[in-house]
Amino acid sequence: MQRLTAKRTVHNVSLSLSRRCISFSSSTSQTATAAPVDEFLGKLPPFGYTPPPYTGPSADAIINTRKEFLSPSNSMFCLYKNPLNIVDGRMQYLFDESGRRYLDAFAGIAVVNCGHCHPSVVEPVINQIKKLQHPTVMYLNHAIAEFSEALASKLPGDLKVVFFTNSGTEANELALMMAKLYTGCQDIVSVRNGYHGNAAGTMGATAHSTWKFNNVVQTGTHHALNPDPYRGVFGSDGEKYARDVQDLIQYGTSGHIAGFICEVIQGVGGIVELAPGYLSAAYDIVKKAGGLFIADEVQSGFARTGDFWGFEAHNVVPDIVTMAKGIGNGFPLGAVVTTPEIAGVLTRRCYFNTFGGNAVAATAGLAVLNVIEKDKLQVNASMVGSYLKGRLSQLKEKHEIIGDVRGRGLMLGVELVSDRNLKTPATAETLHIMDQMKELGVLVGKGGYFGNVFRITPPLCFTKDDADYLVEAMDYSMSRM
């Protein structure tokens, strides 16, 4: 079968890297309209916290230091024409150097699930760091043992062996290696438009040219059609997309593969949900080819979608689950969870991660699980997420620039287009509206290949009042385009 990609207009193919990337500095030829800041700030939901006066360096000083001492790739990752100097945060709110409050609808790229500086995360971490920071897993310590047991209890079936890492990239690298060791095969199938990390193996599995370097060797990975209900060639017919996985295996491999890695909702790719029926059909095909199913839950895990894990909505049980971001509410922490049989492959040689399972990070991870349960954040993500998605869908009826509203729970995407029929990406308009929303006190992310999708992934303590304020700010900003 001839492999097809989503239709793109010619003039968009040549978009520069700075326009395609997830969070580059916003620059647009349009002049920002003066926003009624005072009017909107008066509507911002009340919040009983005022940060202490900030006495640190200014935003300009920080920018100059970053330019001189940070990697150039880091220096270019600033949102907005005038980057924010964020100095404080509490729950779903952030504060800049002047003390101004912002509604955080991005959560540090879907990281701060419990909320900024949640006391039930901060206090146990402080207590742990006062006693012991890093004993190494070569000694016994309760923190890693208790967290691994609690984490395994959140997964179905025989998924009960935990490997701790420091990031999602590390977790996915380890999962891919384990799949290859277990099966004896090298071929991996991933999905176009997906993002799995920026190391050598995960860069190969990533199918998004923005994040791939041309002289990094990337072999053995086959990229299947993206089952994108909005831009995909088969619409919402998941089984038709799954046939491409079958074709890749039949014509691009020996007929046997190591594994299939997939985000259940593509995050960096623009909050793209998989077409209904796709994952279960692809799962059956992969298993017949001897491969393992790796569920990349780095962004969708830890109650963000309204289920604890995104794969739960697809009636499949993975062989390996990778996770990071929301696992530690801001601590550098990731994990791979798999079965005892698959985990056994790492005993063939010596596998070790110095900081994996660090006592402070493990304490934070256990605290996150406790807060999700105690504060009923999974229920809240489902309830408030459904409400917010409904309000955004109503906004789509009002504004032609909104081409699609999608996602589940509090992992939502709003794709902007300049022409609904052609689905022409409204990249410059997206940057302009983001800047307008920032002036109104609302922070969102962006993603998608063309940088034309708002990524709405707030802390899971987000309220309906917060959702209303976000929609009002977006409505106002779009009305003045």
Side-chain angles (χ1 to χ4, degrees):
M1 181 181 77
Q2 183 180 8
R3 299 188 193 110
L4 302 174
T5 57
K7 295 179 181 178
R8 294 179 179 135
T9 55
V10 174
H11 74 278
N12 283 310
V13 174
S14 61
L15 286 172
S16 67
L17 178 64
S18 64
R19 292 178 67 185
R20 296 200 317 249
C21 247
I22 173 178
S23 52
F24 278 67
S25 297
S26 302
S27 61
T28 173
S29 60
Q30 303 183 48
T31 302
T33 306
V37 175
D38 292 339
E39 175 188 341
F40 266 84
L41 287 180
K43 299 178 183 177
L44 194 62
F47 190 66
Y49 174 76
T50 300
Y54 174 68
T55 58
S58 67
D60 288 341
I62 294 170
I63 289 171
N64 290 334
T65 303
R66 282 172 60 134
K67 286 180 179 178
E68 184 174 359
F69 296 107
L70 277 182
S71 159
S73 62
N74 286 331
S75 295
M76 61 201 302
F77 273 84
C78 283
L79 286 168
Y80 308 114
K81 287 185 295 185
N82 297 309
L84 281 171
N85 182 17
I86 297 297
V87 302
D88 208 329
R90 287 297 183 277
M91 302 309 284
Q92 67 269 45
Y93 295 102
L94 291 170
F95 300 84
D96 70 10
E97 59 189 344
S98 71
R100 182 181 173 187
R101 178 162 58 108
Y102 296 85
L103 179 61
D104 181 11
F106 198 28
I109 317 181
V111 167
V112 191
N113 281 19
C114 296
H116 296 281
C117 298
H118 193 297
S120 295
V121 175
V122 171
E123 289 176 17
V125 166
I126 290 174
N127 292 336
Q128 177 61 49
I129 206 168
K130 284 180 178 178
K131 291 185 293 185
L132 185 66
Q133 291 176 260
H134 181 70
T136 156
V137 294
M138 292 182 177
Y139 303 122
L140 298 180
N141 183 266
H142 68 92
I144 187 173
E146 291 173 359
F147 181 37
S148 58
E149 181 181 16
L151 184 58
S153 73
K154 296 293 184 182
L155 287 140
D158 212 21
L159 292 165
K160 58 186 179 184
V161 180
V162 182
F163 296 87
F164 288 115
T165 66
N166 306 289
S167 69
T169 292
E170 263 191 37
N172 283 331
E173 281 279 330
L174 178 58
L176 293 170
M177 183 178 74
M178 292 172 71
K180 293 174 181 179
L181 289 171
Y182 181 77
T183 61
C185 297
Q186 289 295 310
D187 290 292
I188 296 289
V189 175
S190 66
V191 177
R192 293 179 191 176
N193 198 53
Y195 177 84
H196 300 288
N198 55 14
T202 53
M203 192 179 293
T206 292
H208 201 294
S209 64
T210 301
W211 304 96
K212 297 163 80 76
F213 290 91
N214 62 350
N215 58 350
V216 175
V217 176
Q218 299 169 38
T219 60
T221 303
H222 310 265
H223 299 116
L225 284 174
N226 185 22
D228 180 351
Y230 180 63
R231 289 189 175 271
V233 292
F234 299 128
S236 296
D237 193 332
E239 292 190 5
K240 284 186 178 179
Y241 292 107
R243 290 174 199 161
D244 188 53
V245 176
Q246 182 69 59
D247 286 351
L248 285 172
I249 294 171
Q250 287 179 336
Y251 299 110
T253 77
S254 66
H256 300 278
I257 63 171
F260 170 76
I261 185 168
C262 183
E263 301 167 275
V264 291
I265 298 180
Q266 293 175 339
V268 171
I271 315 295
V272 178
E273 290 190 87
L274 306 179
Y278 173 77
L279 198 56
S280 58
Y283 177 89
D284 292 339
I285 292 166
V286 168
K287 300 307 288 184
K288 288 177 183 176
L292 302 183
F293 169 40
I294 303 168
D296 182 339
E297 294 278 354
V298 169
Q299 295 196 34
S300 55
F302 295 90
R304 176 154 295 283
T305 66
D307 294 311
F308 202 90
W309 307 109
F311 66 78
E312 294 179 77
H314 296 270
N315 299 313
V316 296
V317 176
D319 299 292
I320 303 175
V321 182
T322 62
M323 58 199 75
K325 293 193 184 292
I327 190 174
N329 207 55
F331 279 80
L333 180 61
V336 177
V337 184
T338 188
T339 67
E341 183 180 6
I342 296 171
V345 299
L346 293 187
T347 63
R348 298 174 188 172
R349 292 291 188 274
C350 183
Y351 172 79
F352 184 74
N353 187 313
T354 299
F355 293 107
N358 165 273
V360 179
T363 298
L366 181 60
V368 165
L369 294 181
N370 292 335
V371 167
I372 289 174
E373 183 174 352
K374 177 175 67 74
D375 291 358
K376 297 180 172 55
L377 295 184
Q378 183 175 329
V379 173
N380 192 67
S382 177
M383 179 183 66
V384 176
S386 295
Y387 174 77
L388 177 55
K389 187 176 182 180
R391 289 225 52 195
L392 291 169
S393 296
Q394 291 173 353
L395 206 60
K396 177 185 172 185
E397 301 303 313
K398 180 178 179 181
H399 296 287
E400 284 289 318
I401 196 172
I402 299 180
D404 194 31
V405 173
R406 54 188 180 244
R408 286 187 287 118
L410 286 172
M411 189 171 184
L412 301 175
V414 178
E415 180 157 355
L416 304 189
V417 294
S418 57
D419 186 309
R420 277 194 180 179
N421 293 325
L422 297 176
K423 300 179 182 177
T424 308
T427 304
E429 294 91 336
T430 301
L431 296 172
H432 179 74
I433 293 168
M434 279 186 70
D435 263 317
Q436 288 289 286
M437 291 179 67
K438 186 257 284 185
E439 293 304 314
L440 300 175
V442 177
L443 308 179
V444 296
K446 71 180 179 68
Y449 183 81
F450 300 107
N452 68 315
V453 182
F454 288 135
R455 293 167 66 184
I456 300 172
T457 57
L460 305 188
C461 53
F462 218 63
T463 68
K464 287 185 176 181
D465 287 342
D466 296 325
D468 287 336
Y469 188 81
L470 183 153
V471 172
E472 288 176 18
M474 188 178 293
D475 181 23
Y476 180 90
S477 300
M478 289 179 175
S479 297
R480 280 146 185 81
M481 284 296 297

